[in-house]
Amino acid sequence: MFVAPIDRICKGLPVLPALLLCLGTVGAVGTGAAADLPPLSHRLTVIEDPAPAPPLRLEDIDGVEHDIADLKGRLVLVNFWATWCPPCRREMPSMERLYQQLNARGLTVLAVDVGEDVDTVFAFTGQLDPPPTFPLLLDTDSSAAQDWDVKGLPTSFVVDPEGRVIIRAVGGTEFDDAAAIEQLLPFLQKP
Amino acid sequence: MDPQTGASTFETQAHGVTLSLTQLLPDQVRAFYVARGFDLADANVFAEACVFMTVLRNDAAPGEIDFRLTDWEVRYDGATRSLPPPENWLTQWSARGVPDAAMLAFRWAQFPAEQSYAPGEWNQGMLATGLPPGSRFDLIARWTIADQTYEGRLDDVRCTD
């Protein structure tokens, strides 16, 4: 099978696919093998002194406003990400699987894109398998990421039904790993 | 070395922490920033600044690690220097009239200037040394756990030509 040099592939692609492929490759460089990508984490970090979640009120890519204050009583996974961020892209399918598995038991997922516009995010979602069915919010000026003291992407937080931030995950995470799910189950309704 | 791009990765493990630097080719850096609103001349400034895709990961340190890039050192040509802080780049982009949205993309694409990682946590981002193309240098990374300082060292790291 012919394998074209990656720089030729990148130059031959329109801007968005080129970025996705080439920066994905940037994230993978090492030996060039997928097995050498930095591994996604399989654990979540419990926050010892939970504090109330910062405000989060943003529109999604369909123009619908979401306010985390309206989600009291549910467990909420808030994920800060961007389309160009390789570990963000790698972890997103696991968030969708987690959402499918636990939504009926009280889990909400809010994925907050940092600094990009609706066209960029919309074009990206069509490439995911499975595609996300949870809301994709737009933090176009990154003010929400700053309010939540995000320092790098991806960063995720779990907000308990009382509105406190109880768990965080810095860096790409396999959210539907059994160990991660085990940490969430005590805060969800029983099946 | 990546057989497709020719980019090399430099990696070390120390005290349960993994640090890796992977060369980013100037073409890759240029393409990323031009696509995000930089004009070519501005993107070129950063693309020629010896940029690496950097990963720092707390694999199994005996606690949460904290670091600030201002504590890291580059040893090059017999002298020790600091890494150029991201704020300096942003100041330069502002002076050059880079659009706000492009500066936002730049800010979030950089390796964090400071961060804390519990075991299992990590980040990946761009880190520029500001050294000339083809330079060879040593990088000393530092982090703390409960006020005790630890070091990881990468020797003879090479900027792309």
Side-chain angles (χ1 to χ4, degrees):
Chain A
M1 182 177 70
F2 171 72
V3 179
I6 193 68
D7 58 340
R8 192 170 304 165
I9 295 172
C10 296
K11 286 173 183 169
L13 287 172
V15 169
L16 180 61
L19 276 175
L20 295 175
L21 174 61
C22 302
L23 282 176
T25 303
V26 166
V29 224
T31 63
D36 291 332
L37 290 167
L40 296 177
S41 183
H42 288 180
R43 52 184 153 178
L44 309 173
T45 300
V46 175
I47 296 175
E48 289 183 2
D49 298 311
L56 184 70
R57 189 173 65 186
L58 295 168
E59 287 188 358
D60 66 20
I61 59 174
D62 297 317
V64 177
E65 185 176 276
H66 297 260
D67 188 342
I68 198 168
D70 297 334
L71 296 171
K72 290 277 177 65
R74 294 186 64 85
L75 192 68
V76 185
L77 173 62
V78 179
N79 170 251
F80 290 91
W81 70 291
T83 63
W84 48 261
C85 156
C88 304
R89 299 200 308 270
R90 289 170 56 211
E91 71 176 2
M92 191 154 281
S94 77
M95 268 194 297
E96 174 60 19
R97 292 191 298 267
L98 179 78
Y99 180 64
Q100 292 295 337
Q101 191 173 338
L102 297 177
N103 179 36
R105 294 179 60 181
L107 177 73
T108 295
V109 175
L110 299 175
V112 182
D113 178 89
V114 178
E116 298 180 290
D117 61 27
V118 62
D119 293 340
T120 303
V121 177
F122 185 77
F124 166 73
T125 58
Q127 304 172 28
L128 290 172
D129 183 23
T133 56
F134 46 77
L136 301 173
L137 311 187
L138 298 172
D139 181 22
T140 50
D141 63 359
S142 86
S143 57
Q146 292 172 59
D147 289 345
W148 285 67
D149 198 25
V150 175
K151 296 188 171 76
L153 301 179
T155 294
S156 301
F157 301 94
V158 177
V159 179
D160 74 3
E162 285 75 49
R164 301 173 308 163
V165 181
I166 55 170
I167 284 171
R168 75 163 198 240
V170 177
T173 302
E174 195 78 43
F175 284 101
D176 65 336
D177 183 83
I181 289 177
E182 194 70 26
Q183 290 181 265
L184 301 178
L185 288 180
F187 304 97
L188 293 164
Q189 302 155 18
K190 298 205 181 332
Chain B
M1 178 182 289
D2 186 311
Q4 290 181 314
T5 65
S8 295
T9 292
F10 306 84
E11 182 173 303
T12 186
Q13 279 107 24
H15 313 290
V17 172
T18 299
L19 169 67
S20 74
L21 267 60
T22 297
Q23 294 172 334
L24 289 180
L25 308 180
D27 274 353
Q28 292 174 309
V29 177
R30 265 190 292 272
F32 179 79
Y33 287 108
V34 167
R36 310 212 80 75
F38 279 66
D39 69 28
L40 188 56
D42 295 330
N44 267 335
V45 172
F46 193 68
E48 300 297 332
C50 182
V51 184
F52 291 86
M53 181 57 74
T54 301
V55 176
L56 187 71
R57 181 184 196 99
N58 182 346
D59 288 312
E64 184 160 316
I65 70 169
D66 302 295
F67 74 88
R68 293 176 304 180
L69 287 185
T70 51
D71 295 329
W72 294 20
E73 288 178 355
V74 169
R75 295 185 181 163
Y76 167 69
D77 200 20
T80 298
R81 59 169 72 189
S82 303
L83 291 161
E87 293 76 23
N88 288 13
W89 290 110
L90 291 170
T91 301
Q92 183 176 173
W93 303 145
S94 183
R96 293 173 71 104
V98 172
D100 288 346
M103 287 203 289
L104 202 61
F106 179 90
R107 176 254 179 272
W108 286 103
Q110 302 311 297
F111 189 73
E114 60 178 39
Q115 186 59 290
S116 301
Y117 300 133
E121 294 186 327
W122 60 293
N123 275 133
Q124 171 177 329
M126 295 188 194
L127 185 67
T129 67
L131 298 175
S135 302
R136 290 175 179 269
F137 65 94
D138 303 331
L139 176 69
I140 293 91
R142 295 191 177 92
W143 59 91
T144 61
I145 301 174
D147 294 329
Q148 182 168 349
T149 300
Y150 297 83
E151 274 188 11
R153 182 181 178 115
L154 285 171
D155 288 331
D156 200 26
V157 181
R158 184 169 48 82
C159 305
T160 57
D161 291 321

